[in-house]
Amino acid sequence: MPESIKPSNLATVAIIYAGGTIGMMPTDKGLAPAGNMAERLEVALAALPDERQSVLPQYNLITLTPLIDSSNAQPENWYQLAQLLWQLHDQYQGFVLLHGTDTLAYTASALSFLTQGFLKPIVVTGSQYPLEADGSDALNNVEGALLSAQQQVLQEVVVAFGGKLLRGNRCTKVSTYSHQAFSSPNAEALGYWQEGGLVVNKSQLLNTDQKGTGYLTTLRLNHLAYKECQIAVVKLHPGLPIMQLSALFSAPIQAVVLETFGSGNAPDQNKQLMQYLSDANQAGLVIVNLSQCAEGSVSMSYATGSALADCGIISAYDMTCEAAITKLHWLLQVCSTSNEIKKAFADIYCGEFHVS
């Protein structure tokens, strides 16, 4: 639950502080989430040149309690954040979410599905280093996020990090230390900022038909209780034993993201494996074919890939693993059968994949 705040009639942006490295301070056990973020942000932003401060929107800061170390983030946190965003929807023109980087891409992906039809900027950011640390990337990311949150042309979930705006469900964390922590390997950046100047690549923004209501938006999450979902991620490797799959695929697992070789290939000569996957599909398990490669798409054009399609496994095209997992979570909430999930998974809702 967020701490109570005193709304300002002048504020156009809400900053939701969920935790993460950006707000951490040293403790006896290492860096840990810390409070007083409103005052700390005010001090940090005051260090910007006057001309850069002048173009930033006024904001209210909302602090979640308790704060979340993103390594401890759970799927129910995605739904709590989405509910909060919907509750605040009519009060602000845009939103910034300060979040830890470890699971930032999961949260951004999940929110893209849970806020379909929101039609306002939701900008997720954080930092590799704490706000007050020497050489920190935090202030630059916050500045970029605030600039982005007042851009009404941005009607989707975006990640603002390292000078780039990326679609929330198309990015993944690629570095543990670099200020360029996130990449969008299969989609162009939506924009860039530098020293207070923001450029939005309008040609890359969502089309009108990708801003629709979706299954969940009509409920605005107010009447939907989060149901725990059981999803496994399995990475194929040479010599993967069937016994291992048996343990991973057994109940209560409802869906599996199967990370395959190349453009969606699997060892089709392993008849025992193919039969096992086919049987699992027939039993109602939803299995998604996702390439282990960061760039490129599942095509199933090779015989080794088409064999998976013959087993009833569905393509994730060029989705990130984070997007595939969170999309499955969302569909497991709103779909009644595995066949319904498979059909829905193949549709594009908010730019999460591209079909070449």
Side-chain angles (χ1 to χ4, degrees), residues 57-325:
Q58 295 197 47
Y59 64 85
N60 286 328
L61 183 88
I62 301 167
T63 300
L64 297 189
T65 53
L67 293 173
I68 305 167
D69 183 320
S70 71
S71 295
N72 291 316
Q74 296 296 315
E76 51 262 40
N77 296 128
W78 307 333
Y79 289 80
Q80 292 165 356
L81 287 168
Q83 288 173 337
L84 177 59
L85 286 164
W86 279 115
Q87 290 166 10
L88 297 173
H89 176 273
D90 296 338
Q91 300 177 39
Y92 298 96
Q93 295 177 17
F95 299 84
V96 172
L97 174 62
L98 303 182
H99 193 287
T101 60
D102 282 353
T103 57
L104 185 150
Y106 289 93
T107 295
S109 292
L111 289 178
S112 73
F113 298 113
L114 301 179
T115 59
Q116 293 175 67
F118 198 87
L119 302 183
K120 291 185 178 183
I122 300 174
V123 187
V124 187
T125 193
S127 65
Q128 294 281 61
Y129 304 95
L131 182 62
E132 291 87 358
D134 292 339
S136 174
D137 54 335
L139 179 57
N140 181 55
N141 289 343
V142 170
E143 181 184 14
L146 285 170
L147 290 170
S148 303
Q150 61 184 343
Q151 301 296 318
Q152 294 307 297
V153 70
L154 292 173
Q155 297 185 350
E156 56 181 293
V157 178
V158 300
V159 169
F161 215 99
K164 296 184 293 186
L165 281 183
L166 307 174
R167 175 157 294 132
N169 56 36
R170 298 290 267 163
C171 70
T172 189
K173 187 174 181 180
V174 295
S175 176
T176 62
Y177 64 89
S178 171
H179 289 194
Q180 302 293 326
F182 291 88
S183 175
S184 182
N186 292 306
E188 290 187 31
L190 304 184
Y192 302 87
W193 79 88
Q194 185 176 15
E195 297 183 350
L198 175 70
V199 177
V200 176
N201 188 354
K202 295 182 180 180
S203 66
Q204 296 301 315
L205 301 181
L206 289 180
N207 298 324
T208 301
D209 60 356
Q210 293 181 320
K211 302 176 186 177
T213 58
Y215 286 104
L216 207 58
T217 305
T218 53
L219 301 177
R220 290 211 163 192
L221 297 168
N222 292 326
H223 306 293
L224 181 71
Y226 169 71
K227 299 179 296 185
E228 184 175 352
C229 301
Q230 300 292 335
I231 299 173
V233 179
V234 177
K235 187 170 186 174
L236 286 184
H237 60 82
L240 177 67
I242 296 296
M243 288 181 61
Q244 188 178 106
L245 288 182
S246 179
L248 290 169
F249 283 25
S250 60
I253 296 298
Q254 299 164 283
V256 171
V257 176
L258 185 66
E259 294 192 340
T260 55
F261 305 127
S263 56
N265 303 317
D268 63 331
Q269 293 182 9
N270 186 334
K271 302 305 181 183
Q272 185 182 13
L273 173 63
M274 293 296 107
Q275 187 61 53
Y276 186 86
L277 294 173
S278 178
D279 291 345
N281 170 70
Q282 290 295 324
L285 186 67
V286 178
I287 308 176
V288 173
N289 182 357
L290 179 74
S291 175
Q292 295 177 18
C293 301
E295 294 183 346
S297 177
V298 168
S299 70
M300 296 186 177
S301 59
Y302 291 94
T304 49
S306 63
L308 291 178
D310 292 341
C311 293
I313 296 176
I314 55 178
S315 174
Y317 297 96
D318 63 353
M319 294 175 70
T320 64
C321 186
E322 294 92 335
I325 290 170

